[in-house]
Amino acid sequence: MDFSGADRIDGEAVAATLRTDPSALSRREAASVVGVFLGDAVYSEPFCEWMPTWYELAVVPLARILERRLRRIAREVAAATGVTATAPRFPRPRDVLAGGESPLAGASGFRERFVLAAAVTHVEWFRHAATADGIDVPSGFLDRATRETVEYYAGSRRTLSPRVRRFQSLCFSDETWVRDVDAAYGLDSRLFGLWERLLGAERRRLEST
C-alpha cells in the first residue's frame, strides 16, 4: 500500500530478540509486539459475533484460553520494556449499519458471514497494528475502508474502490499466517484448513476483479 513507515519494524529481528531477551527490545519494537499480542488476544470473540451461533459456541471457549495466554505474554513484554498499550475494540454487528440495516441481513450462509466478519475486522486490526508499528496511514483512509467494506460485503454496494479493494486483498493474505501457525504447531487442524481456504479464495477473487 506504500504507507510511510511500513519498514520501521524489522519483524524477523524483533522475533529473534523476543525469543532471547524481550528487555532488549526498543520501545518502538516493544510497542509493536505488545500491540499485536493484545490485538490478537481480543480478536476472536467479536469476530464470532458475526458468525452463526454454533460456530460461536464452538470457538469462543478456545478463544478465551488464547486470549489469557496472549495477554499474559503482552504483560510480560510490557513489564520488561516499560511500555504501555491498550487493546483495540473490534466492531460487532450491532455497531454498524448497511443501508439502515444490520450488515448480517445481506449475508446468507457460512462463507458469506465468514468473509464479511474477516473483512470488517481486518480494518480495525490494521488500524491498531499500524499505530503500534508507527505506520503513517493517510487521514480518513481506514474510516472510508470500513464504510465501503461494510456496504460491499452486506450487499448494499456493488464494488469497492480500487485502493480499498487492494487493501482488503492484502489483508486476506492472512491465509499465510493461518497456514504457518497450523504447520508450526503441528495441528493439522480442519478448522485452520477451512479458514485458510476461505481467506485464500477471497484474496484471489479480490485480486481478479
Side-chain angles (χ1 to χ4, degrees):
M1 294 296 295
D2 298 323
F3 293 149
S4 175
D7 57 353
R8 286 177 180 151
I9 300 294
D10 183 336
E12 292 186 3
V14 168
T17 303
L18 187 61
R19 285 191 293 267
T20 57
D21 182 12
S23 65
L25 293 169
S26 70
R27 291 188 66 82
R28 170 60 69 190
E29 291 169 340
S32 174
V33 169
V34 174
V36 168
F37 280 154
L38 288 177
D40 287 348
V42 301
Y43 182 87
S44 295
E45 280 205 47
F47 183 98
C48 285
E49 289 193 27
W50 294 85
M51 302 300 292
T53 301
W54 63 263
Y55 181 95
E56 186 173 4
L57 292 174
V59 172
V60 164
L62 298 175
R64 287 175 176 166
I65 294 172
L66 177 63
E67 178 178 354
R68 288 196 294 271
R69 291 179 177 176
L70 289 172
R71 282 186 178 275
R72 175 179 54 79
I73 297 171
R75 286 195 301 269
E76 292 172 355
V77 174
T81 57
V83 303
T84 59
T86 58
R89 185 182 184 279
F90 289 102
R92 291 163 165 79
R94 64 178 179 270
D95 299 326
V96 293
L97 293 174
E101 296 183 315
S102 165
L104 292 178
S108 60
F110 178 84
R111 178 198 169 278
E112 289 76 12
R113 290 181 70 158
F114 180 91
V115 171
L116 168 63
V120 172
T121 53
H122 276 157
V123 183
E124 200 59 37
W125 192 95
F126 183 82
R127 188 194 307 273
H128 176 74
T131 300
D133 285 358
I135 297 173
D136 302 318
V137 182
S139 175
F141 173 74
L142 294 179
D143 290 338
R144 176 163 63 88
T146 295
R147 183 175 64 256
E148 287 190 20
T149 294
V150 171
E151 293 172 352
Y152 177 69
Y153 283 100
S156 62
R157 181 186 179 94
R158 294 186 60 186
T159 61
L160 294 171
S161 63
R163 191 158 173 79
V164 173
R165 185 174 66 249
R166 172 63 174 158
F167 172 78
Q168 281 290 1
S169 70
L170 290 170
C171 288
F172 272 102
S173 66
D174 55 2
E175 63 178 297
T176 303
W177 177 87
V178 171
R179 182 170 60 248
D180 289 348
V181 169
D182 191 51
Y185 290 94
L187 301 176
D188 194 23
S189 167
R190 293 178 63 185
L191 182 59
F192 272 57
L194 174 62
W195 291 345
E196 181 187 347
R197 289 193 299 276
L198 292 174
L199 294 166
E202 184 61 11
R203 174 186 56 78
R204 291 188 291 273
R205 192 189 69 81
L206 289 169
E207 289 175 345
S208 67
T209 56

